[in-house]
């Protein structure tokens, strides 16, 4: 069964610091992987997705993620955090036309 | 601007009531989904519909049913609401063509409280 595990339910970073959110996947076949973001009182929106075209994927708002097959990981990074990055982030893996989500990581940004 | 709308942002119901949550998308998407979101559990799929009148159970369908009579509308029904169904409910839609990696577009969610 395809699933994802997000390490760390809460991450606190200073404004301008690196944001690193960890996601490991379990899949018996090459996975399709996604990162979604949920801002307060909103639905989820897509940050980026991996579809095997390139291992380094760039998304919106300066985020990127690197697919590492040897580590079964798809960690999300942003070089310099902004106050507007405070949100909950979800890693997900495609199962047919459905998605299986991780538990989520809440990011707080300190001024 | 593409949109998924949900009928209510907040809903309070009593145990045993029948509850309808409505979702409408304006993107002509074939696929529609209902998830519930709980702290520490992420999003869990309740039901999935891939065409009008077609549905498939997700991971946690117990206590829920769905209806899709028109392509743009997908309803979630709680036949007899219980307190353990207090949660945030999110609707999403996606295209069917192009493969498994199509983006899902989400509504803003309905926070349901069952007393």
């Amino acid at each position: 069964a395809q699933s994802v595990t997000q390490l760390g339910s809460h991450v606190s970073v200073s404004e301008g610091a690196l944001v690193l959110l960890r996601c490991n996947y379990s899949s018996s076949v090459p996975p399709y992987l996604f990162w979604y973001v949920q801002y307060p009182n909103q639905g989820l929106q897509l940050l980026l997705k991996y579809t095997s075209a390139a291992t380094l994927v760039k998304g919106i708002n300066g985020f990127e993620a690197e697919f590492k097959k040897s580590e079964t990981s798809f960690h999300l990074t942003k070089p310099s955090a902004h106050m507007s990055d405070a949100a909950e982030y979800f890693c997900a893996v495609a199962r047919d036309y459905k998605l299986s989500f991780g538990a989520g990581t809440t990011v707080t940004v300190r001024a | 601007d593409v949109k998924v709308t949900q009928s209510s942002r907040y809903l309070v119901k009593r145990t045993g009531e029948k509850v309808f949550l409505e979702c409408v998308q304006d993107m002509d998407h074939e696929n529609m989904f209902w998830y519930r979101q709980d702290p520490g559990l992420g999003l869990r799929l309740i039901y999935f519909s891939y065409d009008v009148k077609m549905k498939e159970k997700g991971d946690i369908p117990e206590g829920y049913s769905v209806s899709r009579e028109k392509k743009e509308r997908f309803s979630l029904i709680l036949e007899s609401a219980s307190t353990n169904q207090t949660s945030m409910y999110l609707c999403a839609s996606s295209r069917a063509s192009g493969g498994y990696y199509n983006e899902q577009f989400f509504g803003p969610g309905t926070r349901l409280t069952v007393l």
Side-chain angles (χ1 to χ4, degrees):
Chain A
Q2 291 155 308
S3 66
V4 292
T5 302
Q6 291 184 243
L7 302 176
S9 59
H10 288 89
V11 168
S12 180
V13 299
S14 297
E15 194 172 19
L18 172 72
V19 179
L20 170 61
L21 305 182
R22 300 177 188 275
C23 173
N24 288 90
Y25 68 88
S26 168
S27 174
S28 58
V29 297
Y32 295 121
L33 294 160
F34 304 76
W35 276 100
Y36 280 83
V37 61
Q38 184 179 33
Y39 298 105
N41 299 314
Q42 295 185 28
L44 278 70
Q45 66 182 82
L46 182 68
L47 271 179
L48 49 81
K49 62 184 177 183
Y50 169 74
T51 59
S52 77
T55 56
L56 184 62
V57 182
K58 294 189 183 298
I60 62 170
N61 301 336
F63 284 93
E64 63 182 35
E66 186 172 9
F67 174 75
K68 290 187 177 180
K69 186 177 179 180
S70 60
E71 299 177 8
T72 60
S73 68
F74 190 57
H75 300 333
L76 181 72
T77 59
K78 181 174 180 177
S80 177
H82 191 271
M83 297 299 288
S84 60
D85 294 326
E88 190 163 17
Y89 294 79
F90 294 94
C91 183
V93 62
R95 302 177 297 157
D96 300 326
Y97 291 102
K98 296 163 279 189
L99 292 175
S100 182
F101 286 87
T105 299
T106 299
V107 173
T108 57
V109 182
R110 304 185 304 271
Chain B
D1 197 18
V2 296
K3 223 166 195 178
V4 178
T5 56
Q6 295 184 230
S7 51
S8 305
R9 292 302 302 272
Y10 300 93
L11 210 51
V12 180
K13 296 292 182 180
R14 298 219 173 263
T15 302
E17 279 192 81
K18 190 169 186 176
V19 181
F20 292 87
L21 302 182
E22 305 283 339
C23 175
V24 177
Q25 51 96 1
D26 65 0
M27 295 165 281
D28 200 35
H29 285 167
E30 294 80 10
N31 299 329
M32 295 188 76
F33 309 82
W34 275 107
Y35 295 91
R36 65 176 281 175
Q37 180 181 8
D38 299 289
L41 297 177
L43 279 73
R44 293 177 291 168
L45 182 66
I46 305 172
Y47 266 98
F48 161 54
S49 171
Y50 50 92
D51 201 351
V52 175
K53 298 190 186 295
M54 306 305 288
K55 62 185 178 185
E56 188 176 306
K57 290 180 180 179
D59 301 313
I60 51 164
E62 297 78 19
Y64 303 95
S65 62
V66 290
S67 172
R68 192 164 180 204
E69 298 295 321
K70 293 184 177 182
K71 190 176 185 179
E72 67 271 17
R73 188 178 297 269
F74 192 34
S75 302
L76 180 69
I77 303 155
L78 287 66
E79 294 289 343
S80 178
S82 64
T83 55
N84 63 13
Q85 292 178 309
T86 291
S87 186
M88 172 70 86
Y89 290 87
L90 291 166
C91 176
S93 70
S94 71
R95 286 187 296 115
S97 62
Y100 299 154
Y101 46 83
N102 290 330
E103 176 181 359
Q104 288 190 17
F105 292 85
F106 285 80
T110 295
R111 185 166 294 283
L112 172 67
T113 302
V114 182
L115 302 175

